[in-house]
Amino acid sequence: MQIYIFDSYEDLSTAAAAATADTLNLKPDSVLGLATGSTPLGLYRELIRMHREEGLDFSRVTTFNLDEYVGLPKTHPQSYHFFMNRNFFRHINILPQNTYVPAGTTNNHKAFCDWYENRIKESGGIDIQILGIGTDGHIAFNEPTSSLGSRTRIKTLSKQTRDDNSRFFEKPGDVPVYAITMGVGTILEARRIFLIATGAAKAVAVAGAIEGPVSSMNTGSALQLHQDVVVFLDNEAAGKLKLIDYYHWIQENEPDAPEVLRKQP
Ligand code: F6R
């Protein structure tokens, strides 16, 4: 894993966006795996800015979102369809038919999930998968004890996740109980993975994912099995890392690190 620690959320978002744009510029028909939640908002804002001011082109890009709440129609303000349109898709020149978000209202979950997996494969596989992490260590909605080989499926959300996400809903009882989510196995097939985390509330989950044993109790820890993971943290999210001095040293001295990822001395 390459671990980069930044002084602010803005800095980590800018670095993650620059690294994403590098890939889009090299491969204009890239396939991106996208996350929702608060964490990637800064990254999306910066990519939108790069599109508007620097001509970053999404016209040949395809995207697959990690997950969607079961039962919420696309028009529901808390659905991930709605989130993606409001915060990203409608601000860039991506073709709507190239944006895939799991269908929360499908009647046949198994058939839909198999179709979604196939769509990812037929599109050539994901070039960069963007991930946040839950306070319980989940990536996508792979809650603790999810199989580390799991594929896209319906998953029951943990109480901790429902409590965490209740901030987006009118009342806690409105948070859906189920989600359709890419599996850990699906995520691990992406060619490159960017894990982004901000704030002290994520510090334990982040330490478990990076330095803990590989365990389904923190599905983020499965990323240790992937050969190309870049982790973007702020100081607070990095606060429980045991080898933090080592990561800082690498970030300051690593000659091959892209400029944007190198901490200014
Ligand atoms: C969202 C997703 C989740 C979030 C995680 C963190 O598509 O897959 O795993 O990344 O719950 O959420 P935030 O960023 O709101 O703290």
Side-chain angles (χ1 to χ4, degrees):
M1 282 187 181
Q2 291 170 264
I3 295 151
Y4 296 103
I5 302 164
F6 297 87
D7 287 334
S8 71
Y9 174 66
E10 287 66 37
D11 288 352
L12 79 82
S13 301
T14 306
T20 306
D22 279 352
T23 296
L24 295 187
N25 286 328
L26 278 173
K27 187 181 176 198
D29 60 348
S30 288
V31 179
L32 299 180
L34 300 179
T36 56
S38 322
T39 310
L41 284 172
L43 160 67
Y44 295 149
R45 273 197 296 270
E46 178 61 10
L47 288 174
I48 292 165
R49 188 201 63 74
M50 291 170 109
H51 166 66
R52 286 186 180 150
E53 295 175 17
E54 295 163 20
L56 183 63
D57 181 25
F58 292 87
S59 63
R60 294 170 63 200
V61 169
T62 300
T63 63
F64 287 91
N65 263 77
L66 288 166
D67 38 25
E68 176 60 288
Y69 289 120
V70 167
L72 298 194
K74 290 180 183 177
T75 49
H76 190 291
Q78 296 312 328
S79 78
Y80 288 165
H81 280 87
F82 195 92
F83 176 101
M84 289 310 300
N85 281 324
R86 183 178 45 196
N87 294 303
F88 195 36
F89 296 150
R90 72 183 166 98
H91 305 287
I92 56 173
N93 65 332
I94 197 160
L95 301 177
Q97 62 269 31
N98 289 349
T99 63
Y100 295 88
V101 181
T105 50
T106 176
N107 290 325
N108 188 337
H109 295 113
K110 170 85 179 81
F112 176 81
C113 293
D114 290 349
W115 176 83
Y116 203 71
E117 288 272 339
N118 279 331
R119 274 293 43 224
I120 296 173
K121 283 199 187 87
E122 286 160 7
S123 304
I126 291 172
D127 291 298
I128 299 179
Q129 175 64 61
I130 309 289
L131 293 178
I133 188 167
T135 57
D136 63 3
H138 69 221
I139 49 172
F141 276 136
N142 294 289
E143 299 288 29
T145 71
S146 289
S147 158
L148 300 187
S150 51
R151 313 300 309 189
T152 303
R153 70 211 182 290
I154 188 164
K155 186 75 198 164
T156 309
L157 301 181
S158 70
K159 174 157 185 336
Q160 194 168 326
T161 296
R162 294 183 68 217
D163 289 348
D164 286 347
N165 290 3
S166 64
R167 68 189 191 279
F168 298 116
F169 290 82
E170 229 167 80
K171 46 185 194 307
D174 291 347
V175 186
V177 178
Y178 303 104
I180 290 182
T181 179
M182 278 190 208
V184 179
T186 321
I187 291 169
L188 290 179
E189 281 173 8
R191 291 183 190 92
R192 192 160 213 223
I193 297 177
F194 290 174
L195 175 67
I196 308 172
T198 173
K202 298 292 174 67
V204 170
V206 164
I210 296 174
E211 296 177 339
V214 174
S215 162
S216 65
M217 288 302 285
N218 176 326
T219 55
S221 67
L223 300 177
Q224 294 173 36
L225 301 170
H226 193 280
Q227 60 180 2
D228 194 359
V229 177
V230 186
V231 185
F232 300 83
L233 304 172
D234 61 11
N235 290 317
E236 291 73 22
K240 300 267 185 221
L241 290 170
K242 290 196 188 79
L243 299 187
I244 192 159
D245 293 342
Y246 175 58
Y247 311 136
H248 276 305
W249 188 88
I250 293 173
Q251 191 170 347
E252 278 154 30
N253 296 287
E254 175 58 66
D256 293 333
E259 193 59 46
V260 68
L261 300 178
R262 224 175 288 149
K263 207 176 165 67
Q264 295 307 310

